[in-house]
Amino acid sequence: MGQTQLDWWRSAVIYQIYPRSFADANGDGIGDLPGITSRLGSLKSLGIDAVWLSPFMRSPQKDAGYDVSDYCDVDPLFGTLDDFDRLLATAHSLGLRVLIDLVPNHTSDQHEWFKRAVAAGPGSPEREFYHFRDGDAPPNNWQSMFGGPAWTQLPDGQWYCHLFDSSQPDLNWENPKVQEAFEDILRFWLDRGVDGFRVDQPHAMGKAKGLPDHPDVERAGAGFIEGEPSPPMWFQESVHPIFRKWRAILESYPGQRAMCGEAYVLPLSFMALWVRPDEFHQTFNFRYLDSPWTAKDIRKTIDESFDAFGAVGAPSTWVLSNHDVMRHASRMGGDFGRTTASDGVGPNDPQPDAELGLKRALAATLFTLGLPGSMYLYQGEELGLPEHTTLEPEFRQDPTFARTNGARVGRDGCRVPLPWESNVNESSGFNQTGKSWLPQPAAYANYARDLQEGVEGSTLETYKWALAKRKELNLGHGTFEWAEDLCSESVLAYRNRSLLVIHNFETNETTWKLDS
Ligand code: NOJ
Ligand code: CA
């Protein structure tokens, strides 16, 4: 076994596929599993190691699939279980691993468990699957991440808790039956051959006993304030034994199955508790994504990352874009803080500078790809795609938009279907029909893959070159050292094995004279 085979997840470049926007085989305007299978060859040629698929399980799609109504079936929108098996077999034949998205904090309100709970009535064991409470008013002051209260009342008077949309009731993880049901779900997919899971919101699964008020809801809203005590709905210690059990299940299968937790926990020393050797293999390093792109901030984040994850023997992951935040090619083209980054930008907001944003984003990606650890890429960033920042309100689908009466535009702008072939039709080759569940901005035709393939200096070819170098020098399993003599207030430089990376955070042109 070569070194790159060792603990593959420690160094892997994992490409996030957002199924509804990747490739559409049947032309209905929504991407699907056969579409993904047909394009896996292009991902192989990009040079990635694995893909992570956002949810494709049965779902009413109230939160683009993060509202699951059957964890062990494929939503007809995306295909069938047979289609999934074909996708998996094709990926494996190309040497690509496949992680799927598991959503354990909440189900859809159309899941059998919730329907049974509603039908069985107050006090029934079925209601113990979720958090139901009596009362004339919401049982506490918790807020939904998508805006508005985190409680909805049923006609029989009981309230149920939902940290996200009202169509996404939170499961009660104190209930052993919920725990057992999820162990079966893990096995169902592991038996099918998946290489692991990206786990949605694991830090929300535990709730403080008695569901007390959030002590500072005015200030923290649905979130938390770093350095202050855990709010009652996040980071509860009670969840760790669950993940230890999951890890043991994964390890009982051959072939290094792995799980990455979307544990939005800060500081990083706290996040590292989630990747102790018997828990998650990885977590997303959101601190990196959130850090202002300045030499000072990025240096601090990198140091903290190696310290925190190194202390528990885990690799750091690195991530700049995903389906919940503004694409980094746009984020870096203006002064967009994290709040705006996660809420997107609308036609009435200040607009990013596309050219500057892309230059900075590409430089940021190259800088990041030199780091040891595992890297997550989000579909379309290899084309340099900008955010769709002028999407009109009638197209908005993210529940955040409706729940805040449009005050927050939501995340649709980073979820627009990919352009594959320029000028073949209105959806730039996303399918054969030109239909598209979200319209592409006109500029997307200029970023289509076919315009970049084989073109020296294109964003796509630059990604391919960097990914090939990363593999050739085994940088993911590499070493890290600041090249202090080259670092300054606006420049960071480091060495990983024989590679020297120098990054200028300013827009001025600079040259360096190197000794060798
Ligand atoms: C995090 C997912 O990435 C996001 O898209 C989703 O809306 C929430 N979790 C709720 O599942
Ligand atoms: Ca389709």
Side-chain angles (χ1 to χ4, degrees):
M1 210 184 253
Q3 216 204 333
T4 43
Q5 287 295 313
L6 201 72
D7 283 352
W8 68 274
W9 43 271
R10 288 183 178 275
S11 62
V13 177
I14 303 173
Y15 180 99
Q16 180 188 358
I17 294 181
Y18 196 63
R20 54 170 49 234
S21 297
F22 187 71
D24 173 23
N26 69 358
D28 64 355
I30 299 176
D32 43 44
L33 299 186
I36 296 171
T37 307
S38 73
R39 298 286 193 180
L40 282 175
S42 62
L43 295 186
K44 178 68 189 172
S45 74
L46 179 60
I48 52 140
D49 303 301
V51 294
W52 144 39
L53 304 181
S54 278
F56 51 81
M57 294 83 188
R58 261 187 203 269
S59 158
Q61 305 293 326
K62 293 280 174 58
D63 183 22
Y66 284 94
D67 49 320
V68 179
S69 57
D70 184 348
Y71 290 91
C72 297
D73 201 2
V74 171
D75 195 285
L77 208 54
F78 300 121
T80 62
L81 275 173
D82 282 345
D83 289 329
F84 178 75
D85 291 342
R86 271 190 286 274
L87 186 161
L88 193 59
T90 309
H92 285 166
S93 73
L94 291 168
L96 299 174
R97 303 195 194 235
V98 178
L99 305 183
I100 64 168
D101 217 310
L102 184 72
V103 188
N105 176 63
H106 43 267
T107 68
S108 157
D109 61 357
Q110 297 308 304
H111 194 288
E112 275 309 307
W113 301 334
F114 193 74
K115 289 206 256 182
R116 272 189 231 142
V118 171
S124 61
E126 286 83 354
R127 290 222 168 171
E128 287 302 307
F129 260 63
Y130 297 88
H131 298 282
F132 280 97
R133 292 291 182 276
D134 293 320
D136 295 332
N140 62 31
N141 66 358
W142 296 3
Q143 297 294 299
S144 152
M145 289 291 286
F146 295 155
W151 293 91
T152 290
Q153 194 171 29
L154 291 179
D156 63 27
Q158 279 209 316
W159 300 80
Y160 65 89
C161 174
H162 52 87
L163 291 183
F164 295 90
D165 190 47
S166 56
S167 63
Q168 294 166 295
D170 279 40
L171 284 163
N172 171 14
W173 276 90
E174 296 285 321
N175 184 343
K177 290 209 174 108
V178 171
Q179 300 189 15
E180 282 159 27
F182 268 84
E183 287 165 23
D184 289 346
I185 293 165
L186 285 178
R187 289 203 176 87
F188 174 86
W189 291 105
L190 291 167
D191 287 341
R192 273 202 126 72
V194 302
D195 298 286
F197 303 91
R198 174 266 190 192
V199 180
D200 191 68
Q201 304 286 326
H203 55 299
M205 288 159 60
K207 311 285 190 284
K209 289 235 175 307
L211 310 184
D213 272 348
H214 190 305
D216 203 356
V217 81
E218 290 302 323
R219 203 153 57 105
F224 70 99
I225 297 172
E226 195 176 338
E228 299 196 8
S230 293
M233 69 287 261
W234 307 115
F235 333 134
Q236 303 300 309
E237 284 292 316
S238 58
V239 290
H240 290 288
I242 298 169
F243 306 133
R244 290 197 189 106
K245 220 156 172 199
W246 290 8
R247 175 81 177 233
I249 293 175
L250 262 65
E251 286 183 353
S252 72
Y253 281 79
Q256 293 193 342
R257 317 291 172 106
M259 51 181 189
C260 176
E262 191 213 15
Y264 198 83
V265 186
L266 290 171
L268 290 171
S269 54
F270 199 10
M271 188 190 276
L273 299 179
W274 296 67
V275 282
R276 286 173 288 195
D278 56 353
E279 297 197 33
F280 284 97
H281 296 76
Q282 308 176 325
T283 49
F284 293 116
N285 185 346
F286 287 124
R287 162 70 90 212
Y288 191 69
L289 188 154
D290 277 347
S291 294
W293 198 255
T294 67
K296 185 164 153 261
D297 290 292
I298 291 299
R299 181 173 178 135
K300 186 163 177 280
T301 295
I302 290 177
D303 284 340
E304 274 177 29
S305 303
F306 287 129
D307 284 353
F309 294 115
V312 292
S316 179
T317 63
W318 309 104
V319 56
L320 289 165
S321 277
N322 65 33
H323 67 295
D324 288 330
V325 301
M326 189 174 176
R327 285 183 173 280
H328 67 290
S330 296
R331 209 168 67 227
M332 294 184 168
D335 187 14
F336 302 103
R338 164 71 188 178
T339 313
T340 318
S342 58
D343 286 346
V345 162
N348 302 326
D349 297 318
Q351 297 293 306
D353 176 334
E355 203 183 323
L356 175 67
L358 180 54
K359 272 193 191 158
R360 280 196 172 142
L362 193 52
T365 301
L366 293 176
F367 176 82
T368 309
L369 278 172
L371 295 169
S374 174
M375 169 102 182
Y376 277 81
L377 303 178
Y378 177 50
Q379 68 177 38
E381 64 167 272
E382 76 280 19
L383 305 176
L385 284 190
E387 182 89 354
H388 191 338
T389 51
T390 53
L391 194 64
E392 294 298 336
E394 66 263 32
F395 297 112
R396 296 265 168 210
Q397 312 230 1
D398 182 348
T400 311
F401 184 72
R403 287 186 68 88
T404 60
N405 292 323
R408 291 163 58 191
V409 296
R411 302 159 293 176
D412 295 309
C414 62
R415 299 175 173 181
V416 174
L418 295 190
W420 290 90
E421 281 116 29
S422 189
N423 296 323
V424 295
N425 57 24
E426 254 187 278
S427 65
S428 297
F430 168 58
N431 52 20
Q432 299 295 312
T433 58
K435 286 191 191 161
S436 178
W437 71 280
L438 284 177
Q440 293 170 343
Y444 268 32
N446 306 327
Y447 294 83
R449 198 178 210 274
D450 68 336
L451 295 181
Q452 303 195 36
E453 192 91 65
V455 176
E456 213 188 310
S458 68
T459 307
L460 178 63
E461 290 303 325
T462 309
Y463 265 69
K464 283 190 196 172
W465 171 83
L467 287 163
K469 260 285 164 254
R470 183 177 169 87
K471 195 150 280 173
E472 179 196 321
L473 300 177
N474 201 5
L475 299 177
H477 280 296
T479 51
F480 180 85
E481 198 190 351
W482 291 115
E484 295 292 0
D485 47 330
L486 294 166
C487 290
S488 70
E489 264 184 17
S490 57
V491 171
L492 286 184
Y494 65 83
R495 288 194 170 79
N496 180 351
R497 300 184 187 270
S498 59
L499 181 79
L500 170 66
V501 177
I502 310 176
H503 182 75
N504 179 8
F505 286 76
E506 299 298 332
T507 46
N508 61 320
E509 229 170 77
T510 317
T511 47
W512 288 273
K513 233 181 157 186
L514 302 175
D515 295 341
S516 53

